Amino acid sequence: MLLGTCALTLGLTVAAPSAGAQKLEQGVRSEHVLQLQEQLSDLGYFDAGMTGYYGTITKGAVRKFQQAQGLSADGIAGPATLNRLNKKAKAEGETLRQLAKLIHGEARGESFEGQVAVGAVVLNRVHSSEFPSSISKVIFQKGQFTAVDDGQFNTKPTQTSYRAARKALNGADPTNGALYYYNPKIATSLWSKSRPTLLTIGQHDFTR
């Protein structure tokens, strides 16, 4: 509860983007783009915030990697580029893990849709000029998420939390663009309560 809820158990590893299964290019938003950004960052080609969105900065980083590897420098992460990248750097999935931990800490008692909704709020903030432009910076922005402030963020997320994080990263947004949420039963902030409610999912009211 950002205003959210609590925590449980279990950590998972993440697989690297499959070299033969996909092509990542500008305009794509997904968990695989997030992994791509982390790999490029580990290799020194990407120095921006992790967003999961394949924009011009990601395209430029891919192009630099391709040039260094003697690949066709088109800025598109196709099978050849992904295969080479996977050989050079592991996909640790730290940012995905952070998002899953936040979802777990804030919404473990909610439905799967409610958990996806919390993840979507984080992604909506990343793409809003009102907030930091990376997933990690949004999560750790001071005073924004109860789970970070009270330590529940540090518990291990469940498989469901990971699924919800991936679904949000892949574009699912049950909130229709919400930037905030709170639990009206326990919230004390008059500012939160004064914002127009877009919809309610479980215990959370989502607002813009």
Side-chain angles (χ1 to χ4, degrees):
M1 36 205 168
L2 218 255
L3 320 110
T5 356
C6 324
L8 211 104
T9 43
L10 201 76
L12 303 175
T13 56
V14 297
S18 171
Q22 62 192 325
K23 177 177 71 172
L24 302 176
E25 58 189 329
Q26 191 166 353
V28 172
R29 170 178 160 179
S30 76
E31 61 177 294
H32 298 301
V33 173
L34 181 62
Q35 292 172 30
L36 172 73
Q37 290 172 338
E38 289 188 338
Q39 289 173 294
L40 290 168
S41 177
D42 288 346
L43 294 172
Y45 295 101
F46 185 82
D47 60 1
M50 306 297 165
T51 65
Y53 178 75
Y54 203 120
T56 55
I57 296 176
T58 302
K59 182 177 180 179
V62 169
R63 185 179 287 119
K64 289 179 182 177
F65 173 77
Q66 291 169 327
Q67 290 171 338
Q69 295 296 314
L71 300 168
S72 177
D74 56 7
I76 297 173
T81 297
L82 291 173
N83 183 61
R84 187 71 58 87
L85 188 62
N86 290 337
K87 290 179 179 179
K88 294 288 182 180
K90 291 182 178 180
E92 299 293 345
E94 179 56 27
T95 308
L96 172 64
R97 189 174 297 112
Q98 289 175 350
L99 184 58
K101 288 171 69 174
L102 182 77
I103 290 170
H104 181 72
E106 290 280 312
R108 66 163 187 178
E110 298 296 314
S111 65
F112 181 67
E113 181 187 31
Q115 293 186 44
V116 174
V118 168
V121 166
V122 174
L123 274 298
N124 290 340
R125 289 187 173 197
V126 170
H127 296 288
S128 167
S129 60
E130 299 177 37
F131 296 93
S133 57
S134 81
I135 292 170
S136 293
K137 288 182 178 179
V138 164
I139 289 172
F140 294 113
Q141 187 176 16
K142 187 174 178 61
Q144 294 299 305
F145 295 101
T146 300
V148 174
D149 292 342
D150 66 13
Q152 294 179 67
F153 174 83
N154 295 319
T155 58
K156 292 182 179 180
T158 62
Q159 184 176 3
T160 300
S161 299
Y162 271 95
R163 283 178 50 228
R166 288 190 171 98
K167 195 169 182 67
L169 281 165
N170 290 328
D173 182 8
T175 75
N176 298 315
L179 294 173
Y180 306 91
Y181 61 93
Y182 68 99
N183 185 333
K185 293 182 179 179
I186 61 176
T188 58
S189 169
L190 295 178
W191 182 87
S192 294
K193 294 180 178 181
S194 70
R195 303 184 71 83
T197 299
L198 295 176
L199 77 168
T200 298
I201 302 176
Q203 299 296 313
H204 289 142
D205 283 357
F206 291 83
T207 71
R208 193 176 293 163

